[in-house]
Amino acid sequence: MDLTTWPQVNMINQKNYYTEYLKRDDQILPLRLQQDERRNQMTTTAKDRDRALAQAKPDDLPPPGEPDIDIDDVGMEDANGLLTGQDALGSKVIVIHPGSQNLRIGLASDALPKTVPMVIARKWRLSESEEGRGEPKPKRLKMDDGSELEPEKMFGDDFAKQYVAMCADLKVHMRNNKRRVLPNSKELVVNYNRRTPPETISEHNDPLRIDWTELPNNPKDAPGYFTGKEALRIPDTSNPRYKLFWPLQRGWYNEHDYKEKKALYDDVAAIIEEAIKQQLNLRRKKDWAQYGCVFIVPDLYERQYVVQSLEMLIRDFGFGKVCFIQESLAATFGAGYTSACVVDIGAQKTSICCVEEGMCIDTSRINLKYGGADVTETFIKMMLFDHFPYSDINLNRRYDFLLAEEIKSKFCTMNEADISVQLYDFHLRASGQDTRKYTFKTYDEVLLAAEGFFQPSIFDNSLKLRGRRKLIPRSQDLYDGSPNDPHSTAQTAVISLISPSAPSPASLPLGNGEMNGSGANTQGRAPPNLFQRFNDGDRLLASAVGSPVPDDDDTPAPAADSSANNPASNLGHLMRDDVLPIIPLDTAILTSIAHGARSDERKTRDFLGGVMVIGGGSQIPGFYSFLEEKLKELRPGFAKDIMIGTPPRELDPQGVVWKGGSVFEDLMLDESSIDNHCPDMDKNKGADKAHEVDEADEALRAAFVEYNNRPLSPPSSPSENSDISLLELSPVLTEHSTMTAPAPARPERVYHQDYIARIRYENALPPPPGAPKLLDIPIDGLNYYTSAAFASRLAREQPLNIEADAELGMPIDLVGMPGIFDGDESSIQAPHVIPPVHPKDKNLLRPLSELGKPKYAPGGYSFLRRTEYISSEQSRPRLDSSTSKAPIKAPVKLRKQTDTAKDEPVNVLRAAVKGFDIANPKDAYTGADTKDNIRGAVPSPAELEAWKNPKHPSKPELKVVDTYAIKPDLDAITDSSNYMIAKFASNPTQSTDTRDTRMDVGVLQPMDLTQDAEAEFKAKLAAHEADPARNPHPGGPMYSYEFFLPADDHNAAANMKKKLDIDNPNWDDPALTTRKNQNGHGSFRLNHVRTYDTGRQSIMSEHPHKEVALALYDPTLEEKMAQAGLAETSAATGRLDKGAYYYPIVQKLQLKPRRNKNLAQLGLASRVADDDDNKVDVIDLQIREPDETEEAKRSGHRLDLENHPEES
């Protein structure tokens, strides 16, 4: 090129490369058209204003700063500010998404939709709960005499067997995942639910009471119907009676509850109309002509449903523009996905459809007839099977229906980690009744009910086809009478799997009249495989819409009755109303992807990696991960590609479809847009020619209808409306005009359209130019690889890949440990009595150097941490020196010859008496032995010297200062003859530098044992009696205590001490008390400080004098300290002698403050609420003399100590 005159183009400098292509709004055709439309509208508005200024008075015009907008047109929410641009367009468009249970409606400019129950209540003779002789839902079986069966038998043997099998499979799955499974979990749930009665709460004490719909006193003045939430809040026993009607059920019209289809259509229109008036504040129906409507329909819809909806929106409501969009396509618009497999789990139906580049793949649409309502009913059945305390629940009652939905949304989960025995509660609120609070326990019911999506046979599917096609027949083609409802090969495969009598997709006729298969004999063919699209891409179903007749008159048209060229005539075999499409959800998703990808592996991976789950039925914790695990089990080859996605930007999955409808509002086209996008479309040829739209316009997936201001001429019947084509929701853009005269032809306007090239980059590597080059590696060094050095280096370089389970190979079951969850860790601590080392364990303590030697003298174990088990071993003699191997010879101690006579009981008693004789030689008995007295042994001189000059056994430098005789304080004997020591884990009062004297007179009041605590204590006691070696004695019940202190006044504490002092002569002074109780006696007011739980306790009931508290008292020392002013004069100077007075301790407690947060985490929230209800805020303490009964008890205890002093 350098030697020629051909111009050379230099390389582009990537650093300075810049382009504005598709970076401005005016370069995008739809946005540019919208800008032109807004500019034209502004021009028209300005001209109208100028004309008004010229013709009218200035006072009749609005102020210049205020827009001429009617508040009723845009709604109260948008009237506060002027909306421009896209918001102005969105404020004039209503998005409607009806469902089986809820209706979502709102303006396209709203951020979130308004949710209204899709129900209407009409005056009726009986309510829905009273019809059918009041048969409850779920239906229970009864005995022949009408009596109720046991909960395990009331739902039949099939449900019981399937439920028990699901429980067993869940246990196996949890064990395989290394999760702890308790064998008696079901028994705990059943026993608790069976014996727990409800708690009644009066209506005025219920802060969350429900405001029921009020009816006038005169039944004749009652409205004819209610809609939405007001209908659900009508009491079941109201006067007059109202019956609830749900016009849409399982995605179909509810034909069973109606006798005429006009009443069915009227109810749908009434619900939507009331929602528009109340929720959107559009009261004047005449203004609705200024609004457009985006109506969202199911993916696999019925033509009659769309035609009737269109007639309702245009004729009844009078909307100016109407647009239809499918649910899956709207979901992708709302979530911002370009390609996805949309799984919409609603209340009563589940729809699945693959969407690619703004197009619903018609062959992938599946509609299953189960949803969140089936999970609710199954969850209630499982709870009733396990003795649910509210056994009278009836889902036909309105308040029970709302309660069941609330329980399911709160407690159901699909996380296996949360499966354990849990304690929950709920409040039952019914009209005219007090609120009842129920507590119940659950185990695996919360997961198995939601697992019905993957095992739908657990659902009750017996009544779902009831009343089908009773009022509304199937839509048929006008020419040959064949069904013309949309169909899907994926849905056909589902029906063929359930009922093999239906023809498979492989046997359907193709467009050319041939059968889709290699042979004509298909009777012996096996049922179709749902996943054959992964492997077989040749068997594809052609479109149900036949090719149009050519316009050329020379080409002969085929016969009208030729079924070979009209495959729609055979669709009646596929659309069977006697088969209920119900299969597992994971299987249905893979079936939809298989038919949508058409054996394209790239599309298959894209759809598996973009499964978007939406809908209210999927709002169960752990559902996404559970579904992903199920899909990976069915398709392990695509395990890395499978991913369950959620709507982005924190959108509510229940409102994603509606949000997509509001986004789709931007694509609504007017008359000029039709000319721009479809200039070659002849709108006067009817809908049969409308399918000849160019592929470039297939992004417009909606049927658009615009009404002009000219009068309408309605067709003879909805099925004969040839101006509207809604089959398959093809890109049909028509202008509705009169049927007699076609609209005049208009000149076509030509617009410049930017060229947009779609390029897909591929990284296709060329094949290698030659054979691969092999490296010549010598292998003669086999000895090197088998040497220990190579193995050591390999072990150092390669990290150990140890796959440990959740418990690191050491399963520790803390559930069986008594008291472990109550803070008592004594069962997992080392025992107080250290056991000796077992002889077999001694071999494990030998070092490596001593292995194999016959004799071994154990020494210090340097490689072991010093523990109680090791330290129990007695020390061995060490070596003589560091160089000597001979151990030091310890002196042999010869055992002294003991006199066997000293072991006799009489001699033992004499030795005990000898100690008292040495201490008190004046009181020594020297006479002959009698029954009451015995002479002590003769003390040795060493013993007498030791008594005169005592020495500390381990600290000889200490000297004796004084001695005290140990005596019981008989005047301080209590009714139980013993005392308790309570130790607080934390300071009960505010921490200060001085001691709070109120603690000396604090009161601990034990609380009543709860049923759970009492049952736990009995279980521990039974376990101890069964196996005392492993289960220690529980001691006593773990009580809770309420701690009270006097008011923040130290004078009250000092007065209480004076009142309690038995040596105080003025203890009965009325001036000491602070108030008088109801009986007129003086008392002290103590306030509640805190509730404490017992953390640890030890009871010495068998040995009451094993531990005692000593109080040293010396009257001489007390008098000296009083004279020196170091202490007050004690009143006990004349009552007690010098001595060490002991007080027996029978129980020691460690109290820890109760924390309600911890109890709530342990599932004991009901216990906290009960304690709060029974909590005592203040007590009035009265101090009096003991009565005769109490004095008799104390005298008996004193007599025991005086008669049997040796026991102490």
Side-chain angles (χ1 to χ4, degrees), residues 1001-1005 1042-1046 1056 1074-1075 1077 1083-1088 1175-1182:
V1001 291
V1003 175
L1004 280 173
Q1005 182 180 3
E1042 291 181 331
F1043 186 53
F1044 298 88
L1045 284 179
M1056 287 186 66
T1074 57
R1075 56 187 297 113
N1077 56 13
S1083 62
F1084 295 91
R1085 173 63 60 90
L1086 281 76
N1087 298 329
H1088 182 272
K1175 187 182 72 174
V1176 179
D1177 295 328
V1178 294
I1179 61 173
D1180 289 337
L1181 180 64
Q1182 177 186 353

PDB file of all heavy atoms in Angstrom, residues 1001-1005 1042-1046 1056 1074-1075 1077 1083-1088 1175-1182:
ATOM      1  N   VAL A1001     -31.779  -6.083 104.697  1.00  0.00           N
ATOM      2  CA  VAL A1001     -33.197  -6.353 104.974  1.00  0.00           C
ATOM      3  C   VAL A1001     -33.948  -6.639 103.682  1.00  0.00           C
ATOM      4  O   VAL A1001     -35.176  -6.490 103.633  1.00  0.00           O
ATOM      5  CB  VAL A1001     -33.832  -5.161 105.706  1.00  0.00           C
ATOM      6  CG1 VAL A1001     -33.284  -5.032 107.111  1.00  0.00           C
ATOM      7  CG2 VAL A1001     -33.613  -3.865 104.921  1.00  0.00           C
ATOM      8  N   GLY A1002     -33.254  -6.991 102.602  1.00  0.00           N
ATOM      9  CA  GLY A1002     -33.929  -7.340 101.362  1.00  0.00           C
ATOM     10  C   GLY A1002     -34.737  -8.615 101.502  1.00  0.00           C
ATOM     11  O   GLY A1002     -34.473  -9.470 102.360  1.00  0.00           O
ATOM     12  N   VAL A1003     -35.727  -8.778 100.650  1.00  0.00           N
ATOM     13  CA  VAL A1003     -36.647  -9.914 100.693  1.00  0.00           C
ATOM     14  C   VAL A1003     -36.592 -10.629  99.348  1.00  0.00           C
ATOM     15  O   VAL A1003     -36.724  -9.997  98.287  1.00  0.00           O
ATOM     16  CB  VAL A1003     -38.088  -9.461 100.998  1.00  0.00           C
ATOM     17  CG1 VAL A1003     -39.042 -10.640 100.919  1.00  0.00           C
ATOM     18  CG2 VAL A1003     -38.152  -8.825 102.371  1.00  0.00           C
ATOM     19  N   LEU A1004     -36.377 -11.944  99.398  1.00  0.00           N
ATOM     20  CA  LEU A1004     -36.440 -12.808  98.227  1.00  0.00           C
ATOM     21  C   LEU A1004     -37.711 -13.643  98.322  1.00  0.00           C
ATOM     22  O   LEU A1004     -37.851 -14.463  99.228  1.00  0.00           O
ATOM     23  CB  LEU A1004     -35.213 -13.712  98.127  1.00  0.00           C
ATOM     24  CG  LEU A1004     -33.939 -13.111  97.567  1.00  0.00           C
ATOM     25  CD1 LEU A1004     -32.790 -14.094  97.692  1.00  0.00           C
ATOM     26  CD2 LEU A1004     -34.116 -12.737  96.105  1.00  0.00           C
ATOM     27  N   GLN A1005     -38.614 -13.448  97.393  1.00  0.00           N
ATOM     28  CA  GLN A1005     -39.875 -14.179  97.406  1.00  0.00           C
ATOM     29  C   GLN A1005     -39.870 -15.198  96.275  1.00  0.00           C
ATOM     30  O   GLN A1005     -39.782 -14.835  95.104  1.00  0.00           O
ATOM     31  CB  GLN A1005     -41.059 -13.223  97.232  1.00  0.00           C
ATOM     32  CG  GLN A1005     -42.410 -13.939  97.280  1.00  0.00           C
ATOM     33  CD  GLN A1005     -43.562 -12.967  97.111  1.00  0.00           C
ATOM     34  OE1 GLN A1005     -43.326 -11.783  96.914  1.00  0.00           O
ATOM     35  NE2 GLN A1005     -44.770 -13.441  97.214  1.00  0.00           N
ATOM     36  N   GLU A1042     -38.294 -13.176  93.219  1.00  0.00           N
ATOM     37  CA  GLU A1042     -38.489 -11.745  93.065  1.00  0.00           C
ATOM     38  C   GLU A1042     -37.811 -11.039  94.228  1.00  0.00           C
ATOM     39  O   GLU A1042     -38.057 -11.369  95.390  1.00  0.00           O
ATOM     40  CB  GLU A1042     -39.976 -11.392  93.028  1.00  0.00           C
ATOM     41  CG  GLU A1042     -40.667 -11.873  91.768  1.00  0.00           C
ATOM     42  CD  GLU A1042     -42.139 -11.489  91.744  1.00  0.00           C
ATOM     43  OE1 GLU A1042     -42.748 -11.373  92.831  1.00  0.00           O
ATOM     44  OE2 GLU A1042     -42.670 -11.314  90.648  1.00  0.00           O
ATOM     45  N   PHE A1043     -36.975 -10.084  93.923  1.00  0.00           N
ATOM     46  CA  PHE A1043     -36.165  -9.407  94.928  1.00  0.00           C
ATOM     47  C   PHE A1043     -36.782  -8.038  95.205  1.00  0.00           C
ATOM     48  O   PHE A1043     -37.070  -7.263  94.293  1.00  0.00           O
ATOM     49  CB  PHE A1043     -34.730  -9.258  94.424  1.00  0.00           C
ATOM     50  CG  PHE A1043     -33.790  -8.700  95.464  1.00  0.00           C
ATOM     51  CD1 PHE A1043     -33.682  -9.282  96.720  1.00  0.00           C
ATOM     52  CD2 PHE A1043     -33.018  -7.580  95.183  1.00  0.00           C
ATOM     53  CE1 PHE A1043     -32.824  -8.775  97.656  1.00  0.00           C
ATOM     54  CE2 PHE A1043     -32.158  -7.069  96.118  1.00  0.00           C
ATOM     55  CZ  PHE A1043     -32.065  -7.671  97.378  1.00  0.00           C
ATOM     56  N   PHE A1044     -36.982  -7.769  96.516  1.00  0.00           N
ATOM     57  CA  PHE A1044     -37.587  -6.523  96.951  1.00  0.00           C
ATOM     58  C   PHE A1044     -36.626  -5.824  97.915  1.00  0.00           C
ATOM     59  O   PHE A1044     -35.951  -6.472  98.727  1.00  0.00           O
ATOM     60  CB  PHE A1044     -38.924  -6.766  97.660  1.00  0.00           C
ATOM     61  CG  PHE A1044     -39.961  -7.410  96.780  1.00  0.00           C
ATOM     62  CD1 PHE A1044     -40.055  -8.799  96.661  1.00  0.00           C
ATOM     63  CD2 PHE A1044     -40.850  -6.625  96.063  1.00  0.00           C
ATOM     64  CE1 PHE A1044     -41.005  -9.385  95.858  1.00  0.00           C
ATOM     65  CE2 PHE A1044     -41.809  -7.208  95.252  1.00  0.00           C
ATOM     66  CZ  PHE A1044     -41.882  -8.586  95.149  1.00  0.00           C
ATOM     67  N   LEU A1045     -36.589  -4.507  97.830  1.00  0.00           N
ATOM     68  CA  LEU A1045     -35.800  -3.671  98.720  1.00  0.00           C
ATOM     69  C   LEU A1045     -36.671  -2.505  99.188  1.00  0.00           C
ATOM     70  O   LEU A1045     -37.609  -2.084  98.488  1.00  0.00           O
ATOM     71  CB  LEU A1045     -34.564  -3.120  98.000  1.00  0.00           C
ATOM     72  CG  LEU A1045     -33.394  -4.083  97.781  1.00  0.00           C
ATOM     73  CD1 LEU A1045     -32.276  -3.374  97.028  1.00  0.00           C
ATOM     74  CD2 LEU A1045     -32.867  -4.633  99.095  1.00  0.00           C
ATOM     75  N   PRO A1046     -36.367  -1.970 100.377  1.00  0.00           N
ATOM     76  CA  PRO A1046     -37.104  -0.774 100.805  1.00  0.00           C
ATOM     77  C   PRO A1046     -36.849   0.384  99.848  1.00  0.00           C
ATOM     78  O   PRO A1046     -35.951   0.344  99.004  1.00  0.00           O
ATOM     79  CB  PRO A1046     -36.546  -0.489 102.211  1.00  0.00           C
ATOM     80  CG  PRO A1046     -35.908  -1.749 102.640  1.00  0.00           C
ATOM     81  CD  PRO A1046     -35.434  -2.448 101.400  1.00  0.00           C
ATOM     82  N   MET A1056     -36.000  -1.203 110.058  1.00  0.00           N
ATOM     83  CA  MET A1056     -36.306  -2.629 109.894  1.00  0.00           C
ATOM     84  C   MET A1056     -35.331  -3.482 110.696  1.00  0.00           C
ATOM     85  O   MET A1056     -35.713  -4.515 111.271  1.00  0.00           O
ATOM     86  CB  MET A1056     -36.250  -3.004 108.411  1.00  0.00           C
ATOM     87  CG  MET A1056     -37.423  -2.484 107.591  1.00  0.00           C
ATOM     88  SD  MET A1056     -37.395  -3.095 105.894  1.00  0.00           S
ATOM     89  CE  MET A1056     -37.652  -4.841 106.178  1.00  0.00           C
ATOM     90  N   THR A1074     -43.139   2.657 108.639  1.00  0.00           N
ATOM     91  CA  THR A1074     -43.301   3.800 107.728  1.00  0.00           C
ATOM     92  C   THR A1074     -44.732   3.977 107.251  1.00  0.00           C
ATOM     93  O   THR A1074     -45.077   5.054 106.764  1.00  0.00           O
ATOM     94  CB  THR A1074     -42.393   3.612 106.507  1.00  0.00           C
ATOM     95  OG1 THR A1074     -42.719   2.373 105.868  1.00  0.00           O
ATOM     96  CG2 THR A1074     -40.930   3.595 106.922  1.00  0.00           C
ATOM     97  N   ARG A1075     -45.575   2.950 107.339  1.00  0.00           N
ATOM     98  CA  ARG A1075     -46.944   3.048 106.858  1.00  0.00           C
ATOM     99  C   ARG A1075     -47.787   2.000 107.547  1.00  0.00           C
ATOM    100  O   ARG A1075     -47.277   1.179 108.316  1.00  0.00           O
ATOM    101  CB  ARG A1075     -47.025   2.859 105.333  1.00  0.00           C
ATOM    102  CG  ARG A1075     -46.432   1.563 104.855  1.00  0.00           C
ATOM    103  CD  ARG A1075     -46.361   1.464 103.348  1.00  0.00           C
ATOM    104  NE  ARG A1075     -47.685   1.499 102.754  1.00  0.00           N
ATOM    105  CZ  ARG A1075     -48.132   2.483 101.995  1.00  0.00           C
ATOM    106  NH1 ARG A1075     -47.357   3.525 101.767  1.00  0.00           N
ATOM    107  NH2 ARG A1075     -49.339   2.445 101.469  1.00  0.00           N
ATOM    108  N   ASN A1077     -50.829  -1.034 106.927  1.00  0.00           N
ATOM    109  CA  ASN A1077     -51.444  -1.851 105.897  1.00  0.00           C
ATOM    110  C   ASN A1077     -52.966  -1.778 105.994  1.00  0.00           C
ATOM    111  O   ASN A1077     -53.523  -0.960 106.741  1.00  0.00           O
ATOM    112  CB  ASN A1077     -50.951  -3.293 106.004  1.00  0.00           C
ATOM    113  CG  ASN A1077     -51.192  -3.893 107.387  1.00  0.00           C
ATOM    114  OD1 ASN A1077     -51.944  -3.334 108.198  1.00  0.00           O
ATOM    115  ND2 ASN A1077     -50.547  -5.019 107.660  1.00  0.00           N
ATOM    116  N   SER A1083     -46.334  -1.399 108.889  1.00  0.00           N
ATOM    117  CA  SER A1083     -45.657  -2.209 107.871  1.00  0.00           C
ATOM    118  C   SER A1083     -44.602  -1.359 107.185  1.00  0.00           C
ATOM    119  O   SER A1083     -44.532  -0.149 107.375  1.00  0.00           O
ATOM    120  CB  SER A1083     -46.661  -2.735 106.839  1.00  0.00           C
ATOM    121  OG  SER A1083     -47.285  -1.662 106.164  1.00  0.00           O
ATOM    122  N   PHE A1084     -43.792  -2.040 106.397  1.00  0.00           N
ATOM    123  CA  PHE A1084     -42.742  -1.402 105.613  1.00  0.00           C
ATOM    124  C   PHE A1084     -43.043  -1.646 104.139  1.00  0.00           C
ATOM    125  O   PHE A1084     -43.355  -2.789 103.743  1.00  0.00           O
ATOM    126  CB  PHE A1084     -41.356  -1.961 105.965  1.00  0.00           C
ATOM    127  CG  PHE A1084     -40.930  -1.673 107.390  1.00  0.00           C
ATOM    128  CD1 PHE A1084     -41.214  -2.581 108.401  1.00  0.00           C
ATOM    129  CD2 PHE A1084     -40.270  -0.503 107.711  1.00  0.00           C
ATOM    130  CE1 PHE A1084     -40.818  -2.334 109.698  1.00  0.00           C
ATOM    131  CE2 PHE A1084     -39.871  -0.252 109.003  1.00  0.00           C
ATOM    132  CZ  PHE A1084     -40.159  -1.156 110.012  1.00  0.00           C
ATOM    133  N   ARG A1085     -42.927  -0.624 103.293  1.00  0.00           N
ATOM    134  CA  ARG A1085     -43.161  -0.738 101.855  1.00  0.00           C
ATOM    135  C   ARG A1085     -41.849  -1.070 101.145  1.00  0.00           C
ATOM    136  O   ARG A1085     -40.865  -0.354 101.273  1.00  0.00           O
ATOM    137  CB  ARG A1085     -43.740   0.568 101.318  1.00  0.00           C
ATOM    138  CG  ARG A1085     -43.865   0.627  99.806  1.00  0.00           C
ATOM    139  CD  ARG A1085     -44.823  -0.431  99.264  1.00  0.00           C
ATOM    140  NE  ARG A1085     -46.154  -0.309  99.784  1.00  0.00           N
ATOM    141  CZ  ARG A1085     -47.114   0.415  99.227  1.00  0.00           C
ATOM    142  NH1 ARG A1085     -46.856   1.099  98.135  1.00  0.00           N
ATOM    143  NH2 ARG A1085     -48.333   0.454  99.743  1.00  0.00           N
ATOM    144  N   LEU A1086     -41.844  -2.228 100.435  1.00  0.00           N
ATOM    145  CA  LEU A1086     -40.679  -2.688  99.681  1.00  0.00           C
ATOM    146  C   LEU A1086     -41.044  -2.694  98.202  1.00  0.00           C
ATOM    147  O   LEU A1086     -42.121  -3.184  97.822  1.00  0.00           O
ATOM    148  CB  LEU A1086     -40.227  -4.083 100.125  1.00  0.00           C
ATOM    149  CG  LEU A1086     -39.398  -4.180 101.420  1.00  0.00           C
ATOM    150  CD1 LEU A1086     -40.285  -4.022 102.641  1.00  0.00           C
ATOM    151  CD2 LEU A1086     -38.652  -5.502 101.476  1.00  0.00           C
ATOM    152  N   ASN A1087     -40.142  -2.187  97.379  1.00  0.00           N
ATOM    153  CA  ASN A1087     -40.352  -2.100  95.933  1.00  0.00           C
ATOM    154  C   ASN A1087     -39.672  -3.269  95.239  1.00  0.00           C
ATOM    155  O   ASN A1087     -38.636  -3.774  95.682  1.00  0.00           O
ATOM    156  CB  ASN A1087     -39.803  -0.786  95.375  1.00  0.00           C
ATOM    157  CG  ASN A1087     -40.504   0.412  95.974  1.00  0.00           C
ATOM    158  OD1 ASN A1087     -41.688   0.333  96.326  1.00  0.00           O
ATOM    159  ND2 ASN A1087     -39.784   1.521  96.111  1.00  0.00           N
ATOM    160  N   HIS A1088     -40.276  -3.670  94.116  1.00  0.00           N
ATOM    161  CA  HIS A1088     -39.707  -4.741  93.300  1.00  0.00           C
ATOM    162  C   HIS A1088     -38.482  -4.226  92.556  1.00  0.00           C
ATOM    163  O   HIS A1088     -38.523  -3.191  91.885  1.00  0.00           O
ATOM    164  CB  HIS A1088     -40.751  -5.245  92.304  1.00  0.00           C
ATOM    165  CG  HIS A1088     -40.275  -6.383  91.454  1.00  0.00           C
ATOM    166  ND1 HIS A1088     -39.616  -6.191  90.264  1.00  0.00           N
ATOM    167  CD2 HIS A1088     -40.359  -7.730  91.634  1.00  0.00           C
ATOM    168  CE1 HIS A1088     -39.310  -7.362  89.740  1.00  0.00           C
ATOM    169  NE2 HIS A1088     -39.761  -8.316  90.539  1.00  0.00           N
ATOM    170  N   LYS A1175     -46.387 -10.400  87.943  1.00  0.00           N
ATOM    171  CA  LYS A1175     -45.336  -9.735  88.702  1.00  0.00           C
ATOM    172  C   LYS A1175     -45.950  -8.844  89.776  1.00  0.00           C
ATOM    173  O   LYS A1175     -46.963  -8.165  89.551  1.00  0.00           O
ATOM    174  CB  LYS A1175     -44.458  -8.916  87.763  1.00  0.00           C
ATOM    175  CG  LYS A1175     -43.238  -8.312  88.437  1.00  0.00           C
ATOM    176  CD  LYS A1175     -42.450  -7.476  87.467  1.00  0.00           C
ATOM    177  CE  LYS A1175     -43.177  -6.199  87.139  1.00  0.00           C
ATOM    178  NZ  LYS A1175     -42.369  -5.288  86.303  1.00  0.00           N
ATOM    179  N   VAL A1176     -45.328  -8.856  90.949  1.00  0.00           N
ATOM    180  CA  VAL A1176     -45.758  -8.012  92.072  1.00  0.00           C
ATOM    181  C   VAL A1176     -44.853  -6.790  92.101  1.00  0.00           C
ATOM    182  O   VAL A1176     -43.625  -6.926  92.141  1.00  0.00           O
ATOM    183  CB  VAL A1176     -45.691  -8.794  93.398  1.00  0.00           C
ATOM    184  CG1 VAL A1176     -46.106  -7.902  94.561  1.00  0.00           C
ATOM    185  CG2 VAL A1176     -46.570 -10.030  93.336  1.00  0.00           C
ATOM    186  N   ASP A1177     -45.433  -5.623  92.080  1.00  0.00           N
ATOM    187  CA  ASP A1177     -44.643  -4.393  92.045  1.00  0.00           C
ATOM    188  C   ASP A1177     -44.163  -3.983  93.430  1.00  0.00           C
ATOM    189  O   ASP A1177     -43.003  -3.616  93.601  1.00  0.00           O
ATOM    190  CB  ASP A1177     -45.462  -3.266  91.421  1.00  0.00           C
ATOM    191  CG  ASP A1177     -45.781  -3.552  89.964  1.00  0.00           C
ATOM    192  OD1 ASP A1177     -44.950  -4.209  89.302  1.00  0.00           O
ATOM    193  OD2 ASP A1177     -46.847  -3.133  89.490  1.00  0.00           O
ATOM    194  N   VAL A1178     -45.020  -4.029  94.430  1.00  0.00           N
ATOM    195  CA  VAL A1178     -44.659  -3.633  95.794  1.00  0.00           C
ATOM    196  C   VAL A1178     -45.265  -4.625  96.762  1.00  0.00           C
ATOM    197  O   VAL A1178     -46.262  -5.307  96.464  1.00  0.00           O
ATOM    198  CB  VAL A1178     -45.155  -2.203  96.116  1.00  0.00           C
ATOM    199  CG1 VAL A1178     -44.448  -1.179  95.273  1.00  0.00           C
ATOM    200  CG2 VAL A1178     -46.667  -2.098  95.945  1.00  0.00           C
ATOM    201  N   ILE A1179     -44.652  -4.741  97.955  1.00  0.00           N
ATOM    202  CA  ILE A1179     -45.191  -5.549  99.045  1.00  0.00           C
ATOM    203  C   ILE A1179     -45.117  -4.712 100.328  1.00  0.00           C
ATOM    204  O   ILE A1179     -44.239  -3.865 100.488  1.00  0.00           O
ATOM    205  CB  ILE A1179     -44.422  -6.875  99.212  1.00  0.00           C
ATOM    206  CG1 ILE A1179     -42.950  -6.619  99.534  1.00  0.00           C
ATOM    207  CG2 ILE A1179     -44.585  -7.765  98.003  1.00  0.00           C
ATOM    208  CD1 ILE A1179     -42.184  -7.886  99.867  1.00  0.00           C
ATOM    209  N   ASP A1180     -46.063  -4.960 101.205  1.00  0.00           N
ATOM    210  CA  ASP A1180     -46.088  -4.342 102.532  1.00  0.00           C
ATOM    211  C   ASP A1180     -45.698  -5.414 103.542  1.00  0.00           C
ATOM    212  O   ASP A1180     -46.430  -6.397 103.730  1.00  0.00           O
ATOM    213  CB  ASP A1180     -47.478  -3.782 102.851  1.00  0.00           C
ATOM    214  CG  ASP A1180     -47.786  -2.556 102.015  1.00  0.00           C
ATOM    215  OD1 ASP A1180     -46.823  -1.914 101.562  1.00  0.00           O
ATOM    216  OD2 ASP A1180     -48.973  -2.246 101.803  1.00  0.00           O
ATOM    217  N   LEU A1181     -44.544  -5.247 104.176  1.00  0.00           N
ATOM    218  CA  LEU A1181     -43.978  -6.241 105.089  1.00  0.00           C
ATOM    219  C   LEU A1181     -44.360  -5.878 106.524  1.00  0.00           C
ATOM    220  O   LEU A1181     -44.094  -4.763 106.991  1.00  0.00           O
ATOM    221  CB  LEU A1181     -42.455  -6.290 104.931  1.00  0.00           C
ATOM    222  CG  LEU A1181     -41.725  -7.288 105.835  1.00  0.00           C
ATOM    223  CD1 LEU A1181     -42.133  -8.720 105.500  1.00  0.00           C
ATOM    224  CD2 LEU A1181     -40.214  -7.129 105.680  1.00  0.00           C
ATOM    225  N   GLN A1182     -44.994  -6.836 107.204  1.00  0.00           N
ATOM    226  CA  GLN A1182     -45.379  -6.662 108.613  1.00  0.00           C
ATOM    227  C   GLN A1182     -44.543  -7.613 109.461  1.00  0.00           C
ATOM    228  O   GLN A1182     -44.477  -8.807 109.169  1.00  0.00           O
ATOM    229  CB  GLN A1182     -46.869  -6.948 108.810  1.00  0.00           C
ATOM    230  CG  GLN A1182     -47.319  -6.845 110.266  1.00  0.00           C
ATOM    231  CD  GLN A1182     -48.760  -7.283 110.451  1.00  0.00           C
ATOM    232  OE1 GLN A1182     -49.461  -7.534 109.459  1.00  0.00           O
ATOM    233  NE2 GLN A1182     -49.212  -7.386 111.679  1.00  0.00           N
TER     234      GLN A1182
END
